[in-house]
Amino acid sequence: MLDTIRRIIQEVNSAPNLAQALDLIVHRVKQVMHSQVCSIYLLDHAAKQNVLMATDGLNPASIGKVRLKLDEGLVGLISERAEPINLNDAPSHPAYKFLPITNEERFNSFLGAPIVHHRKVLGVIVVQEAESRLYSEEELTLLVTIAAQLAGAIAHADAVGEITGLHNINHKDRPLKGLPGAAGVAFGNSVVIYPPADLDAVPNRTTDDVTGELEAFRNAVEATKQELSKLKTRISQLPGEDQLLFDAYLLML
């Protein structure tokens, strides 16, 4: 299972945006768990609704259109309680809500897990299938782990304004809430740094000491190599394939 989770996370991290990451997750989780449906709902806190943002198994036209209030359906129950729900006869549950727009059949088995970041529910991930059965502990662990990994990506995407389809608000200025490391009040200057991948944004400057600049560069490379070697030694308990990543970085340097 750990190998499966690692592969899914690696693929998600390489996705260019959140929408493709969500599509990738519902597809991969559906395959791994041999389910007929995998869906992801994100919580629109302003409207207090869970919005279907990705699915593999339901009607694709329902993405962005299915909106459940916080007290609606099993998805609403999961987001309200912030805990998983595992059922072998979902339609008989009092909170079950049939959604005709999704063209869903009678899916009896239902497993849903909340997507939580810093104790705040961001959404719900669900798998369903027609066969009546309870999902195993291993399957529950897999879904909960995927949800935990997905939470960070969703929180980041929301912070940078990447999430679309939840609401029609597009503010140029977006407030970012932080978590204090210590109680109190602090004053300081905010600094906008250069985008890490935008080399064209770095101004061109000349130097009168070319030899000194080359020496500083070589020293920086050597210091980085030493730091990577120390880090590799400190985490020597990682699997061999992960250790090879540090060797690749050292060879690049």
Side-chain angles (χ1 to χ4, degrees):
M1 184 180 69
L2 292 178
D3 185 58
T4 299
I5 293 174
R6 183 168 62 248
R7 288 201 309 270
I8 293 176
I9 293 173
Q10 287 174 344
E11 292 179 359
V12 169
N13 289 339
S14 64
N17 53 58
L18 180 64
Q20 292 191 29
L22 296 181
D23 288 337
L24 176 64
I25 285 180
V26 294
H27 180 64
R28 290 287 183 265
V29 172
K30 177 184 174 182
Q31 283 184 329
V32 171
M33 299 186 66
H34 306 291
S35 61
Q36 293 173 277
V37 176
C38 180
S39 306
I40 294 177
Y41 297 79
L42 296 188
L43 181 56
D44 183 346
H45 292 277
K48 296 182 179 180
Q49 295 175 328
N50 289 292
V51 185
L52 179 64
M53 297 298 291
T55 184
D56 187 346
L58 300 181
N59 181 11
S62 62
I63 295 177
K65 296 180 180 178
V66 171
R67 290 175 170 266
L68 297 169
K69 297 179 182 179
L70 298 185
D71 58 352
E72 276 189 303
L74 295 169
V75 171
L77 190 61
I78 294 172
S79 63
E80 180 184 20
R81 295 181 176 178
E83 60 185 27
I85 291 181
N86 187 3
L87 301 171
N88 62 355
D89 187 12
S92 66
H93 193 281
Y96 178 80
K97 182 178 178 64
F98 178 72
L99 302 172
I101 189 176
T102 61
N103 293 338
E104 63 177 328
E105 304 170 5
R106 182 180 172 84
F107 294 113
N108 294 294
S109 299
F110 178 99
L111 177 62
I115 302 170
V116 182
H117 183 71
H118 291 163
R119 300 183 181 179
K120 180 180 180 181
V121 176
L122 303 181
V124 176
I125 181 171
V126 173
V127 290
Q128 298 169 270
E129 59 183 85
E131 179 188 354
S132 180
R133 73 178 182 91
L134 285 176
Y135 286 89
S136 67
E137 286 295 325
E138 185 177 75
E139 290 171 317
L140 174 59
T141 301
L142 172 62
L143 198 65
V144 169
T145 305
I146 294 297
Q149 293 294 327
L150 180 58
I154 294 174
H156 174 74
D158 186 39
V160 300
E162 185 181 315
I163 296 180
T164 58
L166 291 183
H167 40 67
N168 296 322
I169 301 175
N170 185 20
H171 295 300
K172 181 179 179 180
D173 298 324
R174 298 177 57 86
L176 299 177
K177 294 183 179 180
L179 294 178
V185 178
F187 294 90
N189 296 323
S190 60
V191 179
V192 179
I193 63 173
Y194 292 116
D198 187 4
L199 294 179
D200 294 330
V202 181
N204 293 321
R205 296 192 178 98
T206 59
T207 179
D208 296 327
D209 184 12
V210 176
T211 302
E213 289 293 322
L214 291 175
E215 183 64 22
F217 173 74
R218 294 190 185 97
N219 291 338
V221 171
E222 185 60 32
T224 305
K225 290 169 64 176
Q226 293 178 8
E227 185 176 346
L228 282 174
S229 297
K230 292 179 181 178
L231 182 59
K232 179 182 177 182
T233 303
R234 286 171 51 192
I235 54 178
S236 57
Q237 71 275 13
L238 287 177
E241 59 267 24
D242 293 333
Q243 290 284 338
L244 291 176
L245 182 62
F246 291 92
D247 293 333
Y249 286 150
L250 289 171
L251 287 173
M252 291 170 62
L253 288 169

